[in-house]
Amino acid sequence: MVRRDDMLKALDTLLKPQQFRDYCPNGLQVEGREQIRRVVTGVTACQALLDAALVEDADAVLVHHGYFWKNEDARIRGMKRQRLQTLLKNDLNLFAYHLPLDAHPDLGNNIQLARRLGLAVTGWLGEGDSALGLVGRLPEPMPAADFAALVEEALGRDTLHIGESEDEIDSIAWCTGAAQGFIEQAQAAGVDAYLSGEISEPTVHFARETGIHYFAAGHHATERYGVQALGEWLARQFDIEHIFIDIDNPV
């Protein structure tokens, strides 16, 4: 077992949330029991994940997308009430790390995605707090259509590609989740392609008019791997049990 506060200290030391200007609080969002022997990880602290954690007799849930986002309605009603009631009634801890988990150089979403796709990292995308994404190269130069197929096979999800399928690409930048806006930084970096999770209507026009290839591989699909790696790290660090639960999400 590990004490809740010791686990929090270890996570904060590793992920350094104080270095980020985030959209939500990072760390222990809802306090539960003091002793933790089993932690469930998942992408989002939705009701389905909380219910699954109870079935697994977990003491803590660790996610990338937690609660208390900026500008959301602060009232505890409806869905929010149900989620919090589940946590509090069952003395279940909720830990959440958003941008710190995207950016971590070893366990983060972006480096974990790179390893899954075989991408060689050559640098960061952005500067300071905005340096969340990475820049690198494909396993080998290949037609854009072949890279889209590689991503689909690795992530088990359809990939939307904007660009000419037969064009050969080599250099790429990427940032998981809702990071489509970083395509401008990617284009300025001179890479052939950019990959993120979500796509917005303006993203299509920017890719077409600048010539950069764009791949949308799914918000959920691209962010499944950082929290798994973090859970495995906790299991090794404290000799506790870790279970990753993937709640399906097509977005």
Side-chain angles (χ1 to χ4, degrees), residues 7 14 17 41 59 71 76 97 214 229:
M7 184 167 133
L14 176 74
T41 59
D59 304 295
N71 301 320
I76 309 301
Y97 290 89
Y214 178 72

Side-chain angles (χ1 to χ4, degrees), residues 42 64 92 99 117 127 136 166 175 177 205 240:
H64 181 48
L92 190 59
L99 296 184
L117 298 179
E127 299 179 356
E166 66 275 11
C175 191
H205 301 296
I240 59 176

Side-chain angles (χ1 to χ4, degrees), residues 1-243:
M1 285 192 178
V2 58
R3 291 179 62 250
R4 176 192 62 237
D5 293 347
D6 290 339
M7 184 167 133
L8 175 61
K9 182 178 179 180
L11 287 168
D12 282 350
T13 300
L14 176 74
L15 298 174
K16 299 178 174 58
Q18 70 278 4
Q19 296 182 3
F20 296 84
R21 292 178 294 179
D22 213 333
Y23 314 102
C24 62
N26 289 289
L28 181 62
Q29 291 191 335
V30 179
E31 184 178 288
R33 66 197 65 158
E34 183 178 358
Q35 298 293 330
I36 297 173
R37 61 180 176 79
R38 180 177 297 161
V39 58
V40 159
T41 59
V43 177
T44 299
C46 60
Q47 188 65 45
L49 181 66
L50 301 184
D51 292 342
L54 293 179
V55 171
E56 297 293 345
D57 196 24
D59 304 295
V61 174
L62 170 63
V63 297
H64 181 48
H65 301 139
Y67 303 156
F68 314 116
W69 298 90
K70 288 182 180 179
N71 301 320
E72 75 173 20
D73 190 338
R75 292 173 294 179
I76 309 301
R77 303 171 57 178
M79 182 180 75
K80 183 185 290 187
R81 175 187 180 275
Q82 180 61 42
R83 290 176 174 184
L84 291 174
Q85 184 177 51
T86 300
L87 290 164
L88 295 170
K89 180 181 178 181
N90 294 281
D91 209 14
L92 190 59
N93 293 283
L94 176 64
F95 295 84
Y97 290 89
H98 186 232
L99 296 184
L101 186 56
D102 287 322
H104 193 271
D106 181 40
L107 304 177
N109 283 319
N110 286 305
I111 189 64
Q112 290 294 321
L113 182 63
R115 291 168 183 166
R116 194 165 189 85
L117 298 179
L119 303 175
V121 178
T122 59
W124 288 95
L125 180 66
E127 299 179 356
D129 288 345
S130 63
L132 302 174
L134 295 170
V135 176
R137 294 193 174 278
L138 276 60
E140 58 183 8
M142 64 181 72
D146 290 357
F147 179 67
L150 183 155
V151 175
E152 289 184 0
E153 182 177 0
L155 303 187
R157 183 191 186 279
D158 290 345
T159 297
L160 176 62
H161 169 227
I162 307 299
E164 297 298 326
S165 298
E166 66 275 11
D167 286 354
E168 187 170 271
I169 59 175
D170 179 21
S171 57
I172 186 169
W174 64 96
C175 191
T176 64
Q180 59 268 47
F182 288 172
I183 191 172
E184 295 187 24
Q185 294 184 30
Q187 193 268 338
V191 295
D192 301 325
Y194 178 63
L195 180 150
S196 69
E198 293 187 22
I199 185 170
S200 297
E201 194 269 349
T203 316
V204 176
H205 301 296
F206 186 90
R208 287 173 176 169
E209 293 175 33
T210 62
I212 189 172
H213 287 261
Y214 178 72
F215 299 88
H219 193 141
H220 178 87
T222 57
E223 296 196 325
R224 288 179 295 196
Y225 308 107
V227 74
Q228 289 185 63
L230 186 58
E232 291 164 4
W233 180 85
L234 282 172
R236 294 191 302 269
Q237 198 78 3
F238 295 110
D239 193 26
I240 59 176
E241 296 178 47
H242 164 238
I243 303 169

